[in-house]
Amino acid sequence: MTDTQVGRSPFDPARDTTFKRELVTLIPHLRAFARTLTGDATAADDLAQDAMMKAWDARASFQLGTNMKAWTFMILRNQFYSEKRRSWRQSQLDQDAAERTLVAVDDPEAPVALDELRLGLGMLPAEQREALILVGAGGFAYEEAAAICGCAVGTVKSRVSRARRALQAILEAGAYDRDGRSASDAMGSILADAERLSSQR
Amino acid sequence: MEDHRKGAPALDEARLRQQAIGVKLRQMFDEVVNETVPDEFLEILRKADKAGGKD
């Protein structure tokens, strides 16, 4: 394995190849994380591509063998928030995101409960949503999520637990405000679906 | 698991619901992970690669 000098590695094709191979395997995960941040498939792919290129350009500063997934997620997240800061109009995101997400669902046959979960997620404060996604769906440890979000481990833990409680309350109360569907429907279909999925494993 | 009758059924129920939400959350994420990656991604990377170690 190539020895690397952090921050100032010379042109090194072998190392680049290794880096690139690993980066490519992360693209699907970057797309998924971006989708949860933007709530929009097209914007998400733009964001994921930007993050991928930022990671590529910064490859010399990455220590091969350390956690590239967490590193690229951190880049993507920083990219997202710096873009958001630039177009500050998007700051009323939470409610709007919920609406856009509904439109952005690509597969019309996707189970209804997923739509409701997306809407519910869209209603959480951004920092709770991302913490829950990273830990609950992205498979990151609290410590990794904390590094990605640039906050303390305890902060991530409390965000995740608040997000879980809030999301459950939203789903049970039907507070996501979807034309006329009742609350028990949403939670009921989520429970039924989860049961079906876990019995398949 | 056997004796939730004398424990706190409400707690069990809450846990079940949280697990269900967790399963859906992963499903939602994995759906995107399992999508085919648009060619654009690899093309961009290929072009960057050709540009060499410019940065």
Side-chain angles (χ1 to χ4, degrees), chain A residues 11 20 27-28 31-32 35 45 49 52-53 114 117-118 121 132 136-137 164 168 172 187 190 193 197, chain B residues 17-18 20-21 24-29 31-33 35-38 40-41 44-45 48-49 52-53:
Chain A
F11 180 57
K20 187 173 162 186
I27 294 172
R31 294 183 72 232
R35 190 87 59 97
D45 273 358
Q49 282 169 11
M52 182 183 77
M53 285 319 296
L114 265 187
L117 183 68
R118 287 192 181 94
L121 274 174
L132 181 60
R164 285 195 168 124
Q168 186 178 343
E172 280 167 6
M187 199 60 224
I190 283 176
D193 236 55
L197 283 169
Chain B
R17 285 171 182 235
Q18 278 304 336
I21 290 173
K24 298 301 286 187
L25 210 54
R26 280 190 296 279
Q27 190 197 349
M28 184 192 80
F29 196 83
E31 248 178 39
V32 185
V33 172
E35 283 177 10
T36 310
V37 172
E40 242 182 310
F41 280 85
I44 290 172
L45 209 48
D49 203 9

Side-chain angles (χ1 to χ4, degrees), chain A residues 33 117 120-121 124-149 151-170, chain B residues 14 17-19 21-22 25-26:
Chain A
F33 185 42
L117 183 68
L121 274 174
L124 299 179
E127 75 269 10
Q128 286 183 26
R129 181 170 52 238
E130 70 181 7
L132 181 60
I133 294 284
L134 290 170
V135 172
F140 288 104
Y142 286 116
E143 289 74 14
E144 294 169 324
I148 292 168
C149 300
C151 65
V153 177
T155 309
V156 172
K157 284 184 181 169
S158 89
R159 282 177 186 170
V160 170
S161 91
R162 272 182 290 149
R164 285 195 168 124
R165 280 200 304 271
L167 189 55
Q168 186 178 343
I170 288 167
Chain B
R17 285 171 182 235
Q18 278 304 336
Q19 277 171 5
I21 290 173
L25 210 54
R26 280 190 296 279

